[in-house]
Amino acid sequence: DSGVTQTPKHLITATGQRVTLRCSPRSGDLSVYWYQQSLDQGLQFLIQYYNGEERAKGNILERFSAQQFPDLHSELNLSSLELGDSALYFCASSEGTGGLLEQYFGPGTRLTVT
Amino acid sequence: GEDVEQSLFLSVREGDSSVINCTYTDSSSTYLYWYKQEPGAGLQLLTYIFSNMDMKQDQRLTVLLNKKDKHLSLRIADTQTGDSAIYFCAEIITSGTYKYIFGTGTRLKVLA
């Protein structure tokens, strides 16, 4: 158990819909990272937040957005969903940011878009 | 460009050594990592190496880095069935904004 929790575990929704994935970091960790893992794209870094501020941005689509709240939990919002958005979405957390990082990964949320 | 490539599959017999290879294209990488993903689980950091090192050994794991060829390898000695998983190499590029680039992953199957 990494100490990172993600809800829900599974999500099935239809194209065009909007969903919110939630992540609670390990106690004391200030950074939260979001990743998308799909069969055709592999593991892609989406975005990082550090203490409430956006810190780094990867291959995140404009239809996707994220935020980190004062209690440090984070939400990833996916809108206008397409079939290709079906994937495993991982959240990771780390104590700091920059330099040598050890990111602790959550168990993931499996999103299926039908 | 920023691409990290790995072979997709590797099959070894229990007790043999496994070598998982990775090539990367961005020479500005400061750190290179190996992660393990077991079925149905998230990624777990296995080991890492600074870009100014050639080799790092950590119990059964040996990481070799050839900066000239931009080649990274992970050797697992005495491979066990519990080592069956997907292994990802990753680089964290720290020039400008941070970017986390993961390889395609190598699925290691250990045969008893």
Side-chain angles (χ1 to χ4, degrees):
Chain A
D1 185 357
S2 66
V4 178
T5 59
Q6 289 186 248
T7 55
K9 279 190 82 168
H10 300 277
L11 196 48
I12 302 175
T13 189
T15 53
Q17 296 298 304
R18 174 189 166 94
V19 297
T20 298
L21 312 184
R22 184 189 166 104
C23 169
S24 292
R26 288 188 325 151
S27 176
D29 284 358
L30 298 178
S31 276
V32 169
Y33 311 76
W34 285 100
Y35 294 87
Q36 179 195 57
Q37 185 178 28
S38 61
L39 281 173
D40 55 342
Q41 300 260 8
L43 188 66
Q44 301 271 324
F45 165 66
L46 296 178
I47 197 162
Q48 175 198 358
Y49 278 82
Y50 174 76
N51 205 19
E53 303 278 329
E54 183 183 303
R55 179 74 180 186
K57 209 164 185 174
N59 301 323
I60 188 165
L61 298 173
E62 283 194 18
R63 298 184 286 111
F64 297 179
S65 64
Q67 53 184 327
Q68 186 179 28
F69 294 87
D71 68 351
L72 301 175
H73 91 270
S74 178
E75 292 181 356
L76 178 68
N77 300 296
L78 315 176
S79 61
S80 303
L81 284 167
E82 301 174 1
L83 295 176
D85 298 328
S86 295
L88 255 178
Y89 290 85
F90 286 108
C91 163
S93 74
S94 68
E95 189 178 329
T97 185
L100 181 61
L101 300 170
E102 181 164 343
Q103 296 184 23
Y104 291 86
F105 280 74
T109 293
R110 183 170 291 281
L111 173 67
T112 302
V113 182
T114 61
Chain B
E2 299 152 357
D3 250 341
V4 179
E5 294 190 358
Q6 302 176 236
S7 51
L8 290 180
F9 299 101
L10 177 64
S11 180
V12 300
R13 296 212 169 272
E14 193 174 18
D16 288 350
S17 291
S18 307
V19 179
I20 301 171
N21 295 302
C22 169
T23 57
Y24 59 98
T25 54
D26 196 308
S27 58
S28 67
S29 296
T30 306
Y31 314 105
L32 294 146
Y33 294 73
W34 283 104
Y35 284 84
K36 177 183 181 182
Q37 184 181 29
E38 295 185 7
L43 275 71
Q44 176 190 359
L45 179 68
L46 269 184
T47 188
Y48 62 88
I49 189 167
F50 286 101
S51 58
N52 62 357
M53 294 169 67
D54 299 325
M55 185 182 94
K56 179 179 177 181
Q57 187 144 4
D58 186 356
Q59 300 182 338
R60 291 191 297 122
L61 305 177
T62 303
V63 180
L64 293 177
L65 176 60
N66 180 329
K67 277 196 80 173
K68 176 174 160 288
D69 295 338
K70 294 180 189 158
H71 183 264
L72 181 73
S73 68
L74 173 70
R75 179 176 178 269
I76 306 173
D78 188 25
T79 314
Q80 303 297 307
T81 53
D83 295 325
S84 292
I86 303 176
Y87 292 81
F88 292 89
C89 62
E91 55 179 346
I92 299 179
I93 299 166
T94 56
S95 57
T97 185
Y98 290 91
K99 293 184 190 175
Y100 307 94
I101 314 292
F102 282 76
T104 47
T106 298
R107 186 179 294 273
L108 174 64
K109 186 172 180 178
V110 183
L111 306 170

